Amino acid sequence: MAELRVWHFLRQDRTTGEGRLLTTPGQTFRHEGRVEPCVSGLHGSPTVWDALQYAPDAFLLQRAILRGAIVPHG
């Protein structure tokens, strides 16, 4: 199984831009269906600097591990 450690920013209320509530460290989220960058799936950036591009209103930094079908952006 593929695995990639990534960075992701959250809003102050611990939600993502999609409104998914992230409340507990260690919590696992699963995406069902096709993985397509910027369309469907869970996301993260390989560096903090890359993650900042997608987080203009974010306050909290999260480290995550993506597993399974990993489709690179671009």
Side-chain angles (χ1 to χ4, degrees), residues 22-46:
L22 302 176
T23 58
T24 308
Q27 185 174 2
T28 299
F29 289 97
R30 297 192 191 291
H31 172 73
E32 301 294 332
R34 183 177 174 191
V35 175
E36 186 177 346
C38 295
V39 176
S40 68
L42 302 173
H43 64 279
S45 299

Side-chain angles (χ1 to χ4, degrees), residues 13-16 19-24 27 29:
D13 63 359
R14 297 191 56 79
T15 62
T16 66
R20 179 177 291 134
L21 188 62
L22 302 176
T23 58
T24 308
Q27 185 174 2
F29 289 97

Side-chain angles (χ1 to χ4, degrees), residues 38-55:
C38 295
V39 176
S40 68
L42 302 173
H43 64 279
S45 299
T47 70
V48 172
W49 305 116
D50 289 335
L52 279 169
Q53 295 179 60
Y54 304 99

Side-chain angles (χ1 to χ4, degrees), residues 8-22 54-62:
H8 187 264
F9 279 93
L10 303 172
R11 294 180 177 162
Q12 192 167 6
D13 63 359
R14 297 191 56 79
T15 62
T16 66
E18 300 82 33
R20 179 177 291 134
L21 188 62
L22 302 176
Y54 304 99
D57 62 344
F59 295 94
L60 303 172
L61 178 63
Q62 170 180 286

